[in-house]
Amino acid sequence: MIALIRMIVSIGGVILLFFLMSESRFEKHKTRIYCACFYAASIAMTCLWYAFSQEVFARMGAFVTYLFFGIFAVWISRDSVYVSLYKLALIFYLLSVFLIGGLEISIIFFHKNVWADIAVRIVLIAVIALFIDRKMKNSIRGFSEYVENELDRFSVAVMMLSLFFGIGFILNPKIHDQTPYRLMQIAMNFFLTGIMQVLVFRLYLHIGREKQYMLENQLMEMNHRLLEWNMELLSSAGEEESGKICGNAAINTILSAYKEQATKEKIKVMLDVELNKETGIPNIDLITILANAWENALYGCMEARKEEQDRECAVRLSIRKKKNKLAIYCSNTCRLEASLEKGLPRPEDTGGVGVMSIVRTVEKFDGEYDFKNENGVFICRLVMNIPPDAEISATG
C-alpha cells in the first residue's frame, strides 16, 4: 500500500508538471481522457507487477514506468521530439527534487516516517507546480518556440546530459550514508544543476525575444510605409466623406472606413472624436494606434459572438486632446474569459494583431497605457504627451 501511494503521488506529480510546461496537440477534452487512461494504466501495471515480483519491481519499476511516460509525453506533446525530451529531463530533475526532499526530510525530522515522506512529496509537488504556473509557465511554453529556432540539437543534448548526470549522482542507490557532507553534496548538486538550466534558459529566451523584437520592428516599418502610401492616395483622391467624424482628414477617412466595416458586421459603433487638422501627434503614428486598436476591437466582438451568438456587440472610441496630452479610450465587447499577461492582452484574445505596435508607439511619446477586461468589455486606455514643438505648431 505504501509503495502504491508513493507511485500514485509521483506519477501524478510528473504528469502535472509536464503539462504545466508543455501543450498537448489534442483539444483539452481528449487530453484529459488520454492522461486519465495513461494514469490508470500505469497504476494498474504497478500493482500487478508489485504483486508478481516485488524484488524486480524495486529494481526496475520506476525506470520502466517513467520510460513509458516519456514515450506517452513525446506522443501527446505539441513540441518537437527533442524539445519534449529536454522538458522530460527537466521534469525528471524536478522528480528527484521531491523524491529526495521527501526522503531526507522524513529521515532527519520524522524518524523515517513513511507518511511524512508522502506528505512532504505532495507539498513539494504543490509548491513546484504553483511556482511554475504563476511565474514560469508562459515563459517555458514560449521557450519551446525559441529553442526550435535558436538552439541546436547538440546544445539540447548537452543540457539533457547535465540534468541526467545530476539526477544519477543524486539518486545513486549505492550510497546510503546520511552524513552532513553527503547532504551538502546533494544540495550543491541540486543547486548547480538547476542554476545552469536557469542560465541557459534565460540566455536563449533573451536571444529569441531580441530576434522577435527586431522582426516586430521590421513589420512596424512596413506597416508605416503602407499607411503612408494609403494616406497619400486618399489625399490625392480628394474625396469627401459622407459623414464628418473629426477635423483631421486622415483620421476621419480611416475611422469612416472602420465604422462602415463594423456596421456591416452588425456591431454598434459610438464615436466621440475631438481632433482638429493638427493633432500634435504625426498622423502616421496616430493611425498606427487607431488601426491596430480597431482591428483588435472587431476581432474581440467577433470572438464574443462566437461565444454567444445573440450577444449585442459594440465598439466605443473616444479621442480627446487636452493641453499637451492626447487621450484615447477604446472599448469593445469581448469574451468573458479574455485575460491579460503581464498587463497586455493575450494574442489569442486579439487575433495577434498589433498590440506591441500600439504599446511602442505610445512609449515613443512617453505615454502610458492600460488594458483590462470588465465583465466582457475590453478597455484600452492610452495617454500620449504631445511634443512641445508640435504643440506650438498646432496652436500657431
Side-chain angles (χ1 to χ4, degrees):
M1 182 59 68
I2 296 296
L4 174 63
I5 294 174
R6 279 174 167 164
M7 289 300 291
I8 289 174
V9 171
S10 298
I11 295 173
V14 167
I15 293 174
L16 172 63
L17 296 178
F18 182 78
F19 283 100
L20 283 174
M21 295 185 183
S22 299
E23 292 182 273
S24 171
R25 60 191 180 95
F26 301 105
E27 60 184 21
K28 289 183 179 180
H29 180 65
K30 283 187 177 181
T31 300
R32 292 191 185 102
I33 293 175
Y34 291 146
C35 287
C37 291
F38 174 82
Y39 196 19
S42 299
I43 299 304
M45 181 192 73
T46 297
C47 292
L48 291 173
W49 192 355
Y50 193 82
F52 179 75
S53 176
Q54 295 183 13
E55 184 180 349
V56 176
F57 178 82
R59 291 201 310 266
M60 300 183 60
F63 173 77
V64 173
T65 302
Y66 293 117
L67 176 63
F68 276 105
F69 172 73
I71 296 171
F72 171 76
V74 170
W75 171 72
I76 202 171
S77 175
R78 184 182 295 178
D79 297 324
S80 65
V81 173
Y82 68 97
V83 173
S84 296
L85 290 175
Y86 169 70
K87 288 186 177 180
L88 280 170
L90 189 58
I91 293 298
F92 294 151
Y93 169 77
L94 296 176
L95 168 68
S96 68
V97 170
F98 63 76
L99 287 181
I100 296 299
L103 286 171
E104 296 297 338
I105 291 175
S106 68
I107 291 171
I108 295 171
F109 298 103
F110 298 98
H111 307 290
K112 300 184 180 180
N113 185 289
V114 293
W115 298 109
D117 172 29
I118 292 171
V120 171
R121 291 187 190 193
I122 294 173
V123 170
L124 288 176
I125 290 170
V127 170
I128 294 171
L130 186 63
F131 178 77
I132 292 173
D133 184 59
R134 297 288 179 85
K135 302 293 185 181
M136 297 186 66
K137 181 171 70 175
N138 296 324
S139 296
I140 290 177
R141 290 183 175 182
F143 178 64
S144 302
E145 181 180 348
Y146 299 143
V147 168
E148 294 281 359
N149 298 325
E150 308 298 339
L151 190 59
D152 59 277
R153 298 187 182 186
F154 175 77
S155 300
V156 173
V158 170
M159 292 168 69
M160 289 171 59
L161 282 174
S162 69
L163 284 170
F164 285 129
F165 281 138
I167 295 169
F169 174 81
I170 293 166
L171 299 180
N172 189 345
K174 295 182 179 180
I175 299 177
H176 302 284
D177 299 334
Q178 297 297 326
T179 64
Y181 179 71
R182 167 64 179 164
L183 295 178
M184 185 184 72
Q185 281 184 316
I186 292 174
M188 188 58 65
N189 189 285
F190 271 134
F191 174 77
L192 293 176
T193 305
I195 203 69
M196 189 186 78
Q197 301 302 313
V198 170
L199 291 174
V200 173
F201 169 79
R202 290 182 64 86
L203 171 64
Y204 282 97
L205 194 64
H206 176 74
I207 293 173
R209 284 177 174 171
E210 282 296 314
K211 288 202 171 181
Q212 185 180 11
Y213 177 74
M214 292 172 62
L215 179 60
E216 286 177 356
N217 276 345
Q218 292 174 356
L219 292 175
M220 284 178 63
E221 290 176 2
M222 292 172 61
N223 188 34
H224 274 196
R225 288 196 293 269
L226 180 60
L227 288 172
E228 286 175 345
W229 181 65
N230 287 335
M231 287 168 59
E232 289 175 2
L233 288 177
L234 290 171
S235 280
S236 61
E239 296 178 355
E240 294 185 359
E241 302 298 327
S242 56
K244 186 175 181 181
I245 297 174
C246 67
N248 184 291
I251 305 302
N252 193 79
T253 300
I254 194 168
L255 290 182
S256 298
Y258 276 120
K259 181 180 179 182
E260 183 179 351
Q261 181 185 0
T263 303
K264 288 180 181 178
E265 298 291 343
K266 297 181 180 179
I267 297 173
K268 186 178 179 181
V269 177
M270 293 164 281
L271 297 175
D272 180 15
V273 182
E274 294 184 0
L275 288 178
N276 298 321
K277 182 178 179 180
E278 298 294 337
T279 63
I281 301 290
N283 283 343
I284 190 65
D285 294 306
L286 200 51
I287 289 176
T288 297
I289 292 174
L290 295 177
N292 286 305
W294 200 285
E295 290 286 349
N296 292 341
L298 291 180
Y299 181 85
C301 289
M302 301 305 292
E303 288 296 300
R305 191 166 287 166
K306 289 179 184 178
E307 186 178 62
E308 186 179 344
Q309 190 171 2
D310 298 329
R311 188 173 178 186
E312 184 179 354
C313 295
V315 176
R316 179 185 173 189
L317 176 67
S318 173
I319 307 177
R320 296 292 181 89
K321 180 181 176 183
K322 189 173 183 181
K323 295 184 179 179
N324 66 329
K325 295 185 182 293
L326 187 69
I328 300 175
Y329 173 97
C330 183
S331 67
N332 62 273
T333 310
C334 69
R335 294 187 300 119
L336 293 173
E337 66 270 21
S339 59
L340 306 177
E341 291 178 358
K342 297 182 179 179
L344 299 177
R346 300 181 303 174
E348 56 265 38
D349 294 324
T350 61
V353 178
V355 173
M356 292 310 300
S357 294
I358 295 173
V359 169
R360 292 203 171 103
T361 304
V362 172
E363 291 175 344
K364 176 181 175 180
F365 294 94
D366 298 323
E368 298 177 358
Y369 54 87
D370 176 49
F371 302 95
K372 61 181 176 179
N373 179 1
E374 289 189 348
N375 300 319
V377 177
F378 189 82
I379 297 174
C380 167
R381 294 182 294 186
L382 314 171
V383 177
M384 292 181 289
N385 294 308
I386 298 173
D389 51 346
E391 186 182 358
I392 293 171
S393 62
T395 56

